[in-house]
Amino acid sequence: MKKIILLVEDDELDIISVQRALKKIGIDHELITAYNGVEALDKLRGNSHRPPMDPLPDVILLDINMPKMNGFQFLSVLREDAALKHLKVIVMTTSAEEHDRTVTEKLGVSGYLIKPLNFTNNDKRPDSMDGFVQFHLRHILANLE
Amino acid sequence: MKLATQISLGFLIAISIDLVDSYVNYSLTRKVNMNTDFLTNSESVIRTSSVLNRSIIDMQNALRGFLLTGDQKFLTRYNNGSTAIPALMKQERALIGSSPSQLSQLDSITAIHNEWLNYSNQIINEKQKSIANPALNKQYDELFQKQFKINNVKNYNARITAFFSLFDEHEYNIREKRRKALAASIKETDSFSVFFSFLLIIVGAGLAFYLVRRISRRIDSMVKLAEDISMGNFTMVKDDKRDELTSLSQSLNLMSQRLSSNIDELERKNDELNQFAYVVSHDLKAPIRGISNVVQWIQEDLTDELSPNMKKYLDIIPERLKRMADLIDGLLEYARIGRGKYPKEEVDVAVLIKELAELIVPNEYELTVKNMPVLHTERILLAQVFGNLLSNAVKYTSNSDARIEVSCIEHRNFYEFAVSDNGIGIEKEYHEKIFEMFQTLREKHDEESTGIGLAIVKKIVEKNEGAISVLSSAGNGAKFVFTWPKN
């Protein structure tokens, strides 16, 4: 069955990284991207031009530092929304600050992943960026449902 | 009040008490001396009075002898007496000075004596006449009989002696009075002396106790403050007295305050620097990593669309990016030196170098390690110095019989380590430059040489109060010599 993934991320580079990783994993999927919280909510709830998202995503991959509405704000709104509060959210960020982790975990997330800054360009190694994204996405998708 | 004033005042009080005591003792001495003078005088008075008494009696005896025997020798004694007595009388008057009762007694004695002289001169005259003319003997006898009776009735001798004994008694009375007064004043002085000595002891001890209490307790609190400061607790001393110690403790308090705020400031700066280091490593390296990823993706995903030239140029980018990331790491490492605290531990330098060499020195290099000590030091820093020097030696030694030697000379307070190689060497003009930041003598694209390694080594060595220098010339290898403290 096709997995629907909503990626909320402002960095084009990270979006491409996820796209490449999903391609390499080879699981049937649909990737929807939003550049910030506002856009993600708009897509989930729909607007005057577009109906709400249906079916809802199997998982939301969420960045923390974003313009307009950051990860924390998005999560708070999501958890207040009766139709959306059950959605599975996994945080993917470069922020290693303990504060960010505790705040997001209070808002209810299924995972908190810190992307490596390591300078290795080899997607076989999980401490390189591509390797990390591949490794975790494979795991996340395998554990859906 | 100032402490110096208090101490001076204390001494002044003690000295005043001592002065009063000395004065009292001095006046007693004067009294004793005066009494001695008086006694000497009094002895003379008594002696003179007895001589006078004896002379008068002697004169009376001489008169009697002459009248009985008619012998002229007695008259000589009589005449001697009549000249000596007025002189003695005058002498005695001078000695007694102004004692009215003794003066009147002397007056009485003189009067009685003069009365007697009047009678004796008359009768001697008659006796002389009868001796010269025996016809007058009868007339003399009558006079003698008459006068003798009167003489006896008047009893000159007894009256004079009575006056003399009164006179002497009076003198002895004065003496006794004086003796009693002197004894009293000695006793008084003694009690004064004892009193003042006690007073001096009490005042002295009290002052000493007061000053010691006032000073030592506060010095103790200042010593405690200094100890606190040395242990990093920036407390304050309370001192509301207004003297020199107060200003000392105020200075100490100010010092404590300033140190405290300086250390807070330092800690704040250190935090800022840590924050900065994080920002540098995170925010500067993230874009580099991004570029690196993009290049990789182009090479992997779009390889069919690339021309050979594009592929060649793209290959250069990751190398340069790696170099930039290394530079950032090197800068961070350099900035961190001396800020972190590293534990001191027993370091066997030979073992340390062996471990480093396994990571840094390729097997085909010939590595000699000589005379390495075991010392108590910050292992991480020493490892960083040797690691950088060894990788430096490896980097610049590429000939077929590459040799690296590490040696050590022990000095009194430090070790002198040397890392030498037989590589390409360094020309003299660069000897200073190589320790500066970003100085590398190689071509820019050559290997991973950031030019920070030796700057880091120099900074670490100098932070440890050591020195580093290089001995080398082009083509003859290089020898880096640095010192490291024993403790």
Side-chain angles (χ1 to χ4, degrees):
Chain A
M1 201 191 145
K2 201 180 199 179
K3 306 291 182 201
I4 301 168
I5 302 158
L6 173 61
L7 174 61
V8 191
E9 168 67 79
D10 64 320
D11 191 340
E12 189 68 42
L13 214 74
D14 288 299
I15 296 173
I16 297 173
S17 180
V18 171
Q19 285 170 345
R20 291 181 88 249
L22 286 170
K23 208 195 254 174
K24 290 203 173 182
I25 294 165
I27 293 176
D28 191 16
H29 70 275
E30 186 191 341
L31 180 68
I32 301 158
T33 54
Y35 285 100
N36 56 57
V38 175
E39 204 184 314
L41 283 174
D42 198 45
K43 286 196 169 165
L44 286 166
R45 290 167 168 173
N47 58 25
S48 50
H49 309 289
R50 191 174 50 211
M53 209 167 150
D54 186 39
L56 285 168
D58 294 296
V59 66
I60 299 173
L61 299 177
L62 179 66
D63 186 22
I64 295 296
N65 294 315
M66 290 179 297
K68 287 190 187 170
M69 181 188 271
N70 67 24
F72 306 128
Q73 294 162 331
F74 172 75
L75 255 179
S76 323
V77 176
L78 196 75
R79 293 302 180 221
E80 299 283 302
D81 189 316
L84 306 172
K85 65 198 288 183
H86 66 281
L87 289 176
K88 179 171 185 164
V89 178
I90 289 173
V91 173
M92 284 181 104
T93 179
T94 49
S95 166
E97 278 182 45
E98 201 52 39
H99 170 76
D100 291 359
R101 179 195 282 270
T102 50
V103 169
T104 48
E105 280 178 353
K106 261 185 201 159
L107 290 166
V109 291
S110 308
Y112 189 96
L113 306 173
I114 299 165
K115 286 181 274 187
L117 276 175
N118 224 329
F119 213 79
T120 321
N121 271 334
N122 183 346
D123 59 14
K124 300 285 180 294
R125 291 176 55 172
D127 62 341
S128 77
M129 184 170 137
D130 281 0
F132 176 86
V133 173
Q134 260 186 54
F135 176 85
H136 286 285
L137 274 183
R138 180 175 285 129
H139 183 76
I140 291 162
L141 294 177
N143 285 297
L144 282 179
E145 283 159 327
Chain B
M1 206 194 293
K2 278 193 148 202
L3 268 180
T5 321
Q6 287 181 29
I7 292 171
S8 309
L9 210 67
F11 271 107
L12 211 67
I13 292 171
I15 288 169
S16 310
I17 293 171
D18 203 43
L19 271 179
V20 171
D21 191 27
S22 299
Y23 177 74
V24 169
N25 276 310
Y26 166 74
S27 12
L28 177 70
T29 315
R30 262 186 56 166
K31 275 183 193 164
V32 171
N33 281 339
M34 270 164 66
N35 202 53
T36 311
D37 290 345
F38 165 77
L39 270 180
T40 317
N41 189 64
S42 178
E43 291 296 332
S44 304
V45 169
I46 299 289
R47 200 171 48 244
T48 310
S49 97
S50 73
V51 170
L52 200 57
N53 196 1
R54 220 178 25 251
S55 301
I56 289 170
I57 290 165
D58 199 46
M59 236 176 128
Q60 291 176 358
N61 289 340
L63 172 70
R64 234 174 267 130
F66 175 67
L67 292 183
L68 286 175
T69 59
D71 190 342
Q72 293 295 324
K73 268 195 292 186
F74 287 108
L75 265 192
T76 316
R77 271 171 64 191
Y78 177 91
N79 286 332
N80 282 347
S82 67
T83 47
I85 285 164
L88 282 169
M89 206 53 106
K90 203 177 165 191
Q91 193 184 332
E92 186 72 323
R93 275 175 197 282
L95 282 172
I96 59 170
S98 58
S99 167
S101 59
Q102 279 180 316
L103 275 178
S104 77
Q105 279 150 4
L106 271 188
D107 283 344
S108 306
I109 291 167
T110 312
I112 297 164
H113 181 62
N114 283 342
E115 198 182 325
W116 178 79
L117 271 182
N118 201 22
Y119 144 76
S120 61
N121 283 340
Q122 201 186 341
I123 203 156
I124 287 169
N125 209 15
E126 291 303 322
K127 179 73 180 174
Q128 292 281 39
K129 276 182 193 161
S130 76
I131 291 170
N133 184 7
L136 293 175
N137 236 352
K138 197 173 177 269
Q139 193 184 332
Y140 162 75
D141 275 346
E142 273 170 16
L143 182 70
F144 176 75
Q145 286 302 326
K146 191 174 134 202
Q147 290 297 341
F148 191 73
K149 271 173 198 156
I150 295 166
N151 190 19
N152 269 351
V153 168
K154 289 202 173 173
N155 200 5
Y156 295 111
N157 199 358
R159 280 160 66 201
I160 281 176
T161 305
F163 273 116
F164 268 114
S165 60
L166 270 179
F167 180 89
D168 284 1
E169 195 187 313
H170 189 90
E171 188 64 32
Y172 285 126
N173 278 342
I174 294 176
R175 243 198 245 186
E176 180 59 17
K177 248 192 236 161
R178 297 283 293 244
R179 195 191 59 77
K180 275 186 180 155
L182 185 68
S185 98
I186 286 175
K187 209 178 153 194
E188 197 180 324
T189 309
D190 273 357
S191 28
F192 257 115
S193 256
V194 169
F195 171 72
F196 278 115
S197 298
F198 271 110
L199 191 66
L200 197 60
I201 289 168
I202 288 164
V203 168
L207 273 169
F209 180 72
Y210 169 75
L211 286 172
V212 165
R213 218 175 99 100
R214 180 162 178 152
I215 296 170
S216 84
R217 215 200 260 165
R218 292 154 72 202
I219 287 183
D220 281 352
S221 65
M222 281 184 241
V223 168
K224 199 182 160 295
L225 173 65
E227 279 167 0
D228 281 354
I229 290 176
S230 76
M231 289 191 298
N233 302 326
F234 300 102
T235 50
M236 297 270 192
V237 233
K238 257 181 96 174
D239 195 323
D240 48 6
K241 315 267 193 311
R242 282 187 213 151
D243 56 29
E244 300 90 325
L245 279 181
T246 312
S247 46
L248 179 59
S249 49
Q250 278 167 354
S251 304
L252 273 174
N253 283 343
L254 196 65
M255 187 177 87
S256 174
Q257 254 176 346
R258 288 217 176 130
L259 271 175
S260 171
S261 68
N262 280 355
I263 282 182
D264 288 348
E265 174 82 6
L266 268 179
E267 277 169 357
R268 207 170 53 72
K269 291 247 167 86
N270 210 25
D271 289 346
E272 269 174 22
L273 201 58
N274 279 330
Q275 186 62 29
F276 173 73
Y278 176 76
V279 169
V280 168
S281 67
H282 185 275
D283 295 5
L284 283 189
K285 280 171 83 181
I288 300 171
R289 191 205 52 180
I291 299 167
S292 170
N293 276 323
V294 172
V295 173
Q296 192 197 349
W297 296 340
I298 295 170
Q299 288 172 329
E300 283 183 15
D301 302 353
L302 308 172
T303 184
D304 299 341
E305 299 170 29
L306 296 178
S307 72
N309 264 346
M310 282 169 85
K311 281 184 186 170
K312 198 177 119 193
Y313 292 158
L314 273 178
D315 281 345
I316 299 170
I317 298 176
E319 248 175 49
R320 292 301 161 99
L321 290 176
K322 176 82 169 63
R323 189 176 148 78
M324 188 153 178
D326 287 346
L327 275 173
I328 292 169
D329 286 339
L331 273 175
L332 277 175
E333 201 182 324
Y334 185 83
R336 281 200 195 104
I337 297 167
R339 291 199 302 117
K341 278 222 187 325
Y342 302 101
K344 282 193 172 185
E345 52 193 298
E346 288 294 310
V347 181
D348 185 336
V349 184
V351 173
L352 177 75
I353 289 172
K354 197 171 156 254
E355 286 169 5
L356 288 169
E358 277 169 11
L359 296 172
I360 298 166
V361 184
N363 284 335
E364 60 268 28
Y365 281 59
E366 187 191 326
L367 176 70
T368 323
V369 180
K370 280 194 220 158
N371 306 328
M372 286 301 122
V374 176
L375 52 91
H376 190 73
T377 192
E378 292 127 321
R379 185 176 205 280
I380 293 168
L381 294 179
L382 190 60
Q384 210 169 359
V385 170
F386 272 119
N388 282 345
L389 288 178
L390 284 173
S391 61
N392 214 53
V394 169
K395 220 178 286 172
Y396 297 100
T397 312
S398 51
N399 32 336
S400 52
D401 65 330
R403 274 179 279 120
I404 296 173
E405 188 187 300
V406 185
S407 60
C408 177
I409 300 167
E410 186 175 347
H411 293 268
R412 212 158 73 101
N413 297 320
F414 59 89
Y415 291 105
E416 183 186 317
F417 293 104
V419 178
S420 49
D421 62 63
N422 61 345
I424 55 172
I426 305 155
E427 280 175 56
K428 205 163 168 52
E429 55 177 307
Y430 296 114
H431 283 189
E432 289 291 323
K433 260 194 147 182
I434 52 168
F435 293 109
E436 291 169 14
M437 288 269 262
F438 304 120
Q439 293 298 328
T440 166
L441 305 179
R442 291 243 172 148
E443 299 294 316
K444 285 277 179 286
H445 62 269
D446 193 6
E447 266 196 59
E448 40 191 75
S449 166
T450 57
I452 296 179
L454 284 176
I456 289 172
V457 167
K458 185 176 159 79
K459 196 170 168 186
I460 293 174
V461 167
E462 287 178 354
K463 279 267 176 195
N464 269 296
E465 287 163 5
I468 184 163
S469 62
V470 62
L471 303 167
S472 177
S473 60
N476 291 320
K479 184 178 186 182
F480 285 88
V481 182
F482 70 95
T483 61
W484 197 262
K486 282 187 174 175
N487 286 308

